[in-house]
Structure formats: structure tokens, C-alpha cells
Amino acid sequence: MFAMCRSCWVKDALLATMRGVREVVVIVFLAICSMANAIKPCPRATVVRDEVSYCLSWRMSVEANNMAGWRTVPMQCLPYIQGYMIGGQYDRDMAFIADQILSYVKGIVLSDDGMDAWILDVDDTCISNLFYYKGKRFGCDPYDPKGFKAWALKGGCPAISAVLGLFDKLVESGFKVILLTGRDEETLGQVTVDNLHNQGFIGYERLILRRAEHKGQGAIQYKSGIRKQLVEEGYRIWGNVGDQWSDLQGDYKGNRAFKLPNPMYFVP
């Protein structure tokens, strides 16, 4: 009898102990959950995510021409623009657009009069100024006319491979490719010819640069006037390609216009 009571007492003690342990475990668990809920994410990580989202939206607005007149890249977007330009996405975007242009080209039936034309911009369309703008923090620094002229005079702008491939296809297909640039003919004419030739742009119909009579004209007025002259000469402009909206806007724009990405600067 005593043994049975003793056994019952031990059993009750063990059950009480287990209940106590369970209560402690529950309390600790609730405390941990409470602390976890009280802990907030690292503020810097949130800021970084917010900046990337903002800079992506900013670049998309720029490419869609919803931010006309902007002067510099926002300083907080420097890492994002740098990553876009040299991390591979810019090159992939250029190649994708070139493929779209070639798909359009395949559907064009050329005439036999030699007047089917295609217009290409030069800077950051045919040849790249990325090395120069790297020193300008990818557009975070204001435009420096003297600095850019000194860079251009070196004649070392590399070809943009996707556009060089497009150029070759256009020439091979029989289009008269006309290179239209805002560069000054007097100071940058020959160095631009040499730079283009050295980078493989051979076989174009003509290279048109700014002359004295174009002084004071904005890019849209200047390029519209040149396109008007070409149409009056009898050229049919099937396509127009540029990295700036001012390359593509205005009169006599051609049958199709193709905007290339460039989030580093804006030419009004």
C-alpha cells in the first residue's frame, strides 16, 4: 500500500514537473516571437531597395521621354546607371533593338533607283562615348563642352557592336546609309571620318555634320532641316535610329524611328 502511494506521489510529481517545463517553454517561445516582431529590417537595406526602384523608374521615364529637359543623372542613381551601362544590360538592350530593326528591314522591298535611305546618328549610336562619361560619373556631372570636344578630338570612340552589325546589314541590303551628327564639321569633321573608318563604318552614302549655317539651331530643328533636304533630293527615309529623342523628333522623320537607350545625358 505504501509502495503504491509512493508510486502515485512520484508520478504526480513528474507530471507537475513536465507541466512546469512546458509552461516555461511556451513562455520562452512567446518571448522570442515578441522580440522577433519588435525587430525591424535594417534601415540601410530598405533605403538601398528604395533607391534601386527609384532609379529604375527614373531611367524608364528618361527613355520614354517623360522627363524632357533633365540635366544630370541623380547622384543617388550613380551605382545603378553604372551597373546598367557596364554590367551587360545596356549591351543586351542594344542587341535586342538591333534585332527588331533587322526584322523590320527584312520586310522592305527596295526600289532600283538607289534612293532608299536609312539615317543613323553617330555619338552613342554608331560609336560610344562611354569611356568619356565614365570619367563624368556616368552623367552625374554637368555637361562639359570643352571636355567632350577634347575627348572627341582623340578619335578613339569605339564602335557599338550591335549598331556596327546593323550598319553592315543595311549597306549589304542596298540601303543608302546616311550618318547625321550634331558634331561641328570644321573642328571635328576629319577626326570623325577617321574614327568611323577605323571602327569599321565603311560604305555609307554620306556623313553630315553641323556647318556655320546651322549655328544656333537646336538638334530637332537642325536634323529636321537635313532630313527635309534629303527627301527633296528624292531619298525615301525608311528608318531613323538615334540615342536621343531629338534625333527622331520633328519633320520628315521617316517611315520608322528607333530609339536606343542612353540614360547618361539629354540633348534638347
Side-chain angles (χ1 to χ4, degrees), residues 7-38:
S7 175
C8 291
W9 178 82
V10 171
K11 183 178 180 180
D12 290 342
L14 288 173
L15 289 174
T17 302
M18 290 175 65
R19 282 196 296 270
V21 170
R22 185 173 61 185
E23 290 173 358
V24 170
V25 169
V26 170
I27 292 171
V28 171
F29 176 78
L30 292 174
I32 292 173
C33 290
S34 177
M35 292 174 62
N37 290 330

Side-chain angles (χ1 to χ4, degrees), residues 121-162:
D121 174 50
V122 173
D123 283 299
D124 293 302
T125 296
C126 292
I127 52 178
S128 173
N129 296 300
L130 181 57
F131 291 121
Y132 169 77
Y133 277 96
K134 182 178 180 180
K136 296 296 181 179
R137 295 190 292 179
F138 297 92
C140 288
D141 294 340
Y143 177 63
D144 176 12
K146 292 182 178 179
F148 181 78
K149 181 179 178 181
W151 156 258
L153 282 170
K154 296 177 181 179
C157 300
I160 295 177
S161 59

Side-chain angles (χ1 to χ4, degrees), residues 51-64:
E51 286 183 354
V52 170
S53 297
Y54 168 78
C55 294
L56 174 59
S57 298
W58 180 88
R59 183 176 69 82
M60 294 304 295
S61 295
V62 164
E63 299 298 358

